[in-house]
Amino acid sequence: MNRCLLILSLLCSAAIYAQTTPGAAPTASPSPREWPVQDGTFDIANFRFHDGETQASLHLHYLTLGTLHRDSQGHTDNAILLLHGTGGNARSLLAPMFSNELFGPGQPLDITKYFLIFPDDIGHGQSSKPSDGLHMHFPAYDYDDMVVSQHAMLVDGLHVDHLRLILGTSMGCMQTFIWGETFPGFSDALAPFACLPVEIAGRNRMMRYMAIDAVKRDPAWKNGEYTAEPVLGLRTASEMIFIMTSAPLQMQKNYSTRVTAEYRVDEYLDRAVAQTDANDLIYYFNASRNYNPAPKLSTITAPVLWINSADDFVNPPELGIAERMVSQMPHAHFFLLPISDATRGHGTHTFAAVWKDHLIDFLSQTGKK
């Protein structure tokens, strides 16, 4: 195959990915749909961060789908919060492999039945972030700050006082556990996908630390006051992210020659570097530095559907953490999806066809009788 034909073949076979799964291998991509999303914003005055810093105005952006409903007592009863992963944004879970499987008529999160809320977390998308101008002087936010700001956006901005479900992927998965501890009773049910409810340590923290360090050691970073992105640092960080979120079976199947494998790496890295701000990356990877819901897991009393995949290199099943921790939550069920041609490593959280049946059963079990 000559190079032109090779490039055309790769481009035609490339999938649409959620921003949280950069290393996922392409597969035949479902056609994207134009969902009738509504944009919204909410500004929190004098937001106090977990470490004591304050910001005069914290700007939050979000998307919604569907129509909000209230029960006979005036409480919201059909709102679902969908939380994206690290480096993602409110549109990440509109990716067709997620939305086409869940949002349509008769599907688990049917938008004629539910009101779906997609926030841009602090540091992401169109919400307040370092690249807006403060650079490394932006407050050092963490996952607790993200959850507290989401709660304020819901209650004070959207006037949502109760959720039917919180479903979070990757970073959003970790936030889901924090939601269960911080605001018990606010949501009928919790669905954390692709994470562990313990301190980020071992290889996971090493990867995050190395990604941050690679950017900071690039002379072009200039302590965050760069005029052009520190490309070498960003490329090194992106290389680690690519491998950590990849699925070996899919990589071997889709890139079975040296030429195709190398082309895929270059194509991904060029795109990732062009779309990433270095300071934003430092902040959103370091936001997990003090995450650790383990000591208070027993306080999560809502039903929990927790799903990981066996080929997740970020949360490897051989650690046995999930099996040890799930029993600490009185109404939690953990499912480890076996490796198959349908799983996509860490990115399986966005490929809803793989786990959709579990979600259907969970919604049925946790619905009003």
Side-chain angles (χ1 to χ4, degrees):
M1 180 184 291
N2 63 39
R3 183 167 180 80
C4 290
L5 287 175
L6 170 62
I7 294 172
L8 179 62
S9 173
L10 287 167
L11 291 175
C12 289
S13 65
I16 297 174
Y17 303 104
Q19 288 176 297
T20 52
T21 57
T27 184
S29 178
S31 300
R33 292 180 58 176
E34 287 296 325
W35 298 100
V37 294
Q38 299 294 314
D39 276 88
T41 61
F42 180 66
D43 294 315
I44 305 176
N46 299 312
F47 183 81
R48 184 178 180 84
F49 289 83
H50 192 211
D51 67 356
E53 288 190 83
T54 60
Q55 186 157 314
S57 180
L58 182 71
H59 181 72
L60 299 177
H61 171 260
Y62 59 87
L63 301 174
T64 63
L65 272 175
T67 303
L68 190 62
H69 183 268
R70 298 181 186 276
D71 63 19
S72 59
Q73 304 300 312
H75 301 295
T76 53
D77 62 2
N78 74 331
I80 292 178
L81 184 63
L82 298 172
L83 302 175
H84 65 75
T86 304
N89 58 50
R91 292 190 173 272
S92 294
L93 297 183
L94 294 175
M97 70 284 291
F98 190 89
S99 62
N100 287 9
E101 294 286 338
L102 300 178
F103 300 168
Q107 292 180 327
L109 306 184
D110 183 343
I111 61 173
T112 66
K113 179 180 180 183
Y114 293 111
F115 181 65
L116 309 183
I117 305 163
F118 309 79
D120 275 338
D121 274 322
I122 301 173
H124 295 73
Q126 297 177 48
S127 292
S128 293
K129 55 189 179 296
S131 59
D132 291 339
L134 288 178
H135 304 159
M136 293 301 291
H137 300 289
F138 193 85
Y141 64 85
D142 61 16
Y143 289 175
D144 293 291
D145 295 319
M146 291 174 165
V147 168
V148 169
S149 67
Q150 290 162 6
H151 182 266
M153 178 197 75
L154 291 175
V155 174
D156 300 324
L158 285 162
H159 305 295
V160 169
D161 63 357
H162 191 75
L163 292 169
R164 173 66 182 89
L165 175 72
I166 300 173
L167 190 158
T169 63
S170 191
M171 178 180 73
C173 173
M174 292 183 272
Q175 292 172 2
T176 302
F177 285 114
I178 296 173
W179 260 100
E181 294 181 352
T182 308
F183 300 105
F186 196 88
S187 181
D188 290 338
L190 307 173
F193 294 172
C195 74
L196 296 169
V198 296
E199 180 180 1
I200 301 294
R203 188 174 63 191
N204 193 337
R205 178 59 191 178
M206 292 174 186
M207 181 274 292
R208 295 166 190 263
Y209 176 75
M210 288 190 291
I212 293 169
D213 193 57
V215 172
K216 289 185 172 182
R217 287 178 181 272
D218 187 333
W221 179 61
K222 299 179 180 179
N223 294 317
E225 298 303 319
Y226 47 85
T227 54
E229 293 289 343
V231 172
L232 291 179
L234 278 176
R235 188 176 178 91
T236 301
S238 298
E239 288 170 348
M240 286 181 284
I241 298 166
F242 182 86
I243 293 299
M244 288 293 290
T245 58
S246 66
L249 289 181
Q250 297 302 318
M251 288 294 190
Q252 187 66 28
K253 182 175 74 171
N254 288 284
Y255 309 109
S256 57
T257 67
R258 176 186 62 80
V259 174
T260 57
E262 292 176 0
Y263 178 84
R264 170 58 181 154
V265 169
D266 290 337
E267 182 272 335
Y268 164 74
L269 291 176
D270 288 346
R271 177 165 47 85
V273 169
Q275 295 176 353
T276 305
D277 179 83
N279 289 333
D280 289 348
L281 180 146
I282 289 171
Y283 270 77
Y284 56 62
F285 271 120
N286 203 38
S288 63
R289 64 192 177 279
N290 54 5
Y291 166 78
N292 187 12
K296 298 195 294 182
L297 273 186
S298 61
T299 67
I300 297 179
T301 56
V304 177
L305 171 66
W306 176 12
I307 297 178
N308 285 359
S309 55
D311 52 357
D312 186 345
F313 197 49
V314 180
N315 305 291
E318 60 267 29
L319 298 179
I321 293 173
E323 291 79 3
R324 293 197 303 271
M325 305 303 288
V326 66
S327 62
Q328 297 187 27
M329 295 171 282
H331 306 294
H333 295 278
F334 174 71
F335 294 94
L336 181 65
L337 302 172
I339 299 173
S340 73
D341 194 52
T343 55
R344 295 294 185 273
H346 186 64
T348 303
H349 60 63
T350 307
F351 285 77
V354 185
W355 43 258
K356 180 169 67 172
D357 287 346
H358 290 297
L359 180 61
I360 292 171
D361 291 343
F362 184 62
L363 289 170
S364 176
Q365 294 163 9
T366 59
K368 292 182 178 179
K369 305 301 181 182

